[in-house]
Amino acid sequence: MPRIRVLQIEDSQLDAELVLSELDADHIEYDVTLVDAEREYLSALNEFQPDIVLSDLSMPGFSGQRALDILRERDQDLPFIFVSATLGEEAAIEALRNGATDYILKQNPARLASAVRRAMREAEAQRARRRAETELIRAQRFESLAMLAGGLSHDLRNLLQPLLLAGDSLQDYQEDPRLARLGRLVRDCGKRGLDMVHSMLSFARGARRAEQVRVGALLDALSLLLQGSVPRNVTLELDAYDPDLSFDGNHTELQQCLLNLSLNALQAMPEGGKLRICASLATLPEHFFQPGEDCREGNYVCLTVTDTGTGMDDAALLHLFEPFYTTKESGTGLGLVSCKRIIAAHGGVMRVESVLGEGTSFHMHIPLMQQPTDVMEEEETANLQGEAERVLVVVEEAGQLSLLVDTLDSWGYQAHASQSGTAALQWLEAQGVPDLVVLDADMNLFTGVRTLAALFDHGYRGAVLLLARPDAPPDMDELPVMEHLYLVDKPISTLRLLKTVREALEASAGGVGPQAPM
């Protein structure tokens, strides 16, 4: 248990020391403030900000029950334990009903340390539940707001369409310069409004699928969403580097991530400043990656959000990506966690730089797909070309799915994408039996093992590449007995993928099964 702040309400110095000796005996580290009057108690609540209150029941001019009532008006979760020599059974039950966490008799203080530990655990669990409930309500409100935005956007689109037609019609009156200018103004405003509606609709619908994300389009959409949110004392600068640069990803999720970071940056500049959002290219070496991150050396697109605001100290940076940690009064502490999850789902990593009083930069590195010929020797790839075999790729994570499908397509296979086991079964029923199935074992809703069993029940007997993490292999007893099942460790390289695909296809065509898991 970390070091705690104990606010002790006691008018006897000797009793106070006896109580604290129980904490010392149990090796509980603490800082303590001792009070015996209401004014001192109120001041300590504000300035000392205790983690727990230990209170005597009766004192001259002040009472433990009064202290409990004051605390519960301020905080429903902060532990409050009575430590008294005069607390009878009925009074103890009444105290618990009134909001006390526990009671300890001074004549028998041996239970105090364990009561303190339990009260601290329960208080943290209760705070977590309240945060989760609050976030659930916020999520429900956001979902309702997204539905409302979607409906309003449809109506606005219908209202804006006549403006575009009217603007074009007014362009016919070129002999009247004023009408021509009015026509251009109406048309341009209508088109700009329509672009904003499309951005709102895209955001309201949420993420759909993996796609080619164009840097210029991503920043243009962000600019439209930020309109009206950037105050006059903040300068907004957008730099796409190469607007036509494209990479595999999900436009809406990345748009959400950039919007969240941009709004955080604006809140960090109450006195004004500069918000810069830019894209660049970077080559990341192996030592750039931290333990636990997917180490992929190579070329990355870097999306950066920089502000000149208040910045963060080392303590804030240390806890920045912890769920529910926030430095804002109305914050949920989930925004940055969500951003990090989005970037990780794209196979990328996040970095943050901040100087207190100078500003903060968030860097989001997303991998660019490398051409296989850049990393493989010609002799290694001579016999890996596909012959238009149909390959069904079943992977839940959108970025990985897109990368696998694009790689197989570029090597002559007819790759078909599916983000769930249910969708894979539907494809099988509609399109027939593929030549090969590439299946991720780590899917959440309909696991890879369950998907494989369902495919087997539907009559599929072809080759299967089951992608699994080495530290969490599937239970072989749960897998159906299949002649051409290849268990392949993740992450899988392009060369490994192509070699195993060719081996699986040739073995299934010749009736020879795999010798061992890959």
Side-chain angles (χ1 to χ4, degrees), residues 402-454:
S402 178
L403 183 62
L404 287 170
V405 169
D406 288 347
T407 300
L408 291 170
D409 278 341
S410 67
W411 281 84
Y413 298 93
Q414 296 183 55
H416 304 274
S418 177
Q419 276 192 280
S420 70
T422 303
L425 294 175
Q426 293 172 349
W427 187 93
L428 194 71
E429 293 174 354
Q431 303 295 329
V433 179
D435 297 299
L436 174 72
V437 172
V438 178
L439 179 61
D440 187 7
D442 298 320
M443 297 188 293
N444 293 317
L445 298 179
F446 203 67
T447 64
V449 173
R450 288 181 59 196
T451 300
L452 184 57

Side-chain angles (χ1 to χ4, degrees), residues 118-135:
R118 181 176 59 82
M120 294 298 297
R121 289 196 302 269
E122 292 179 351
E124 180 56 34
Q126 180 63 22
R127 293 189 188 101
R129 282 194 295 270
R130 291 185 188 277
R131 288 194 296 263
E133 291 169 359
T134 300
E135 182 56 29

Side-chain angles (χ1 to χ4, degrees), residues 5-209:
R5 294 184 298 275
V6 178
L7 176 54
Q8 193 173 18
I9 306 174
E10 178 62 71
D11 60 342
S12 168
Q13 184 67 36
L14 178 60
D15 286 352
E17 291 176 359
L18 289 174
V19 167
L20 295 177
S21 68
E22 293 295 325
L23 304 185
D24 293 331
D26 201 63
H27 306 291
I28 295 177
E29 297 183 352
Y30 61 88
D31 298 313
V32 63
T33 292
L34 180 65
V35 299
D36 60 3
E38 182 171 338
R39 178 178 296 180
E40 296 173 352
Y41 175 62
L42 290 171
S43 177
L45 287 178
N46 292 328
E47 298 175 7
F48 184 58
Q49 296 184 347
D51 297 311
I52 190 169
V53 177
L54 305 179
S55 175
D56 195 1
L57 180 63
S58 178
M59 292 160 288
F62 192 37
S63 71
Q65 185 57 52
R66 171 62 179 162
L68 176 60
D69 292 341
I70 291 173
L71 180 65
R72 288 296 171 249
E73 290 177 0
R74 294 165 167 251
D75 192 323
Q76 291 294 315
D77 302 323
L78 191 73
F80 187 104
I81 298 178
F82 279 116
V83 185
S84 175
T86 60
L87 197 64
E89 184 176 352
E90 292 184 2
I93 294 174
E94 185 65 22
L96 293 176
R97 287 175 178 171
N98 292 335
T101 306
D102 206 341
Y103 65 92
I104 304 293
L105 294 177
K106 289 183 179 179
Q107 301 93 309
N108 185 24
R111 198 170 61 85
L112 177 63
S114 61
V116 168
R117 290 183 181 276
R118 181 176 59 82
M120 294 298 297
R121 289 196 302 269
E122 292 179 351
E124 180 56 34
Q126 180 63 22
R127 293 189 188 101
R129 282 194 295 270
R130 291 185 188 277
R131 288 194 296 263
E133 291 169 359
T134 300
E135 182 56 29
L136 177 60
I137 293 172
R138 287 173 61 91
Q140 291 171 340
R141 288 176 178 172
F142 183 81
E143 183 178 356
S144 299
L145 182 60
M147 293 177 62
L148 177 62
L152 288 175
S153 297
H154 281 292
D155 292 339
L156 283 172
R157 183 166 55 183
N158 293 334
L159 291 172
L160 288 168
Q161 186 62 52
L163 289 179
L164 298 176
L165 297 175
D168 290 336
S169 297
L170 288 172
Q171 290 293 294
D172 295 336
Y173 296 92
Q174 294 294 333
E175 67 277 3
D176 189 332
R178 289 176 300 175
L179 284 178
R181 285 197 300 271
L182 180 61
R184 286 194 296 271
L185 177 63
V186 171
R187 183 191 59 194
D188 292 345
C189 289
K191 187 176 184 304
R192 192 167 184 80
L194 199 59
D195 289 341
M196 294 181 69
V197 166
H198 288 158
S199 292
M200 289 175 62
L201 275 172
S202 173
F203 192 75
R205 287 172 182 148
R208 292 297 185 196
R209 58 181 177 81

Side-chain angles (χ1 to χ4, degrees), residues 372 376-389 407-413 493-506:
M376 292 186 289
E377 297 296 332
E378 183 177 350
E379 59 270 19
E380 291 181 302
T381 65
N383 300 316
L384 300 183
Q385 194 72 24
E387 298 177 357
E389 295 95 333
T407 300
L408 291 170
D409 278 341
S410 67
W411 281 84
Y413 298 93
S493 66
T494 300
L495 180 60
R496 182 82 172 280
L497 172 68
L498 295 173
K499 283 185 174 181
T500 311
V501 165
R502 285 276 16 118
E503 180 182 348
L505 288 171
E506 291 170 3

Side-chain angles (χ1 to χ4, degrees), residues 265-315:
L266 292 175
Q267 293 179 6
M269 297 185 289
E271 305 300 325
K274 181 179 179 181
L275 172 61
R276 187 171 190 270
I277 305 160
C278 65
S280 60
L281 292 178
T283 301
L284 302 185
E286 182 179 356
H287 62 77
F288 177 86
F289 298 91
Q290 299 174 356
E293 292 180 339
D294 188 3
C295 179
R296 299 184 189 177
E297 296 181 73
N299 296 324
Y300 283 68
V301 59
C302 179
L303 303 174
T304 300
V305 178
T306 300
D307 66 70
T308 57
T310 54
M312 293 176 283
D313 57 20
D314 292 340

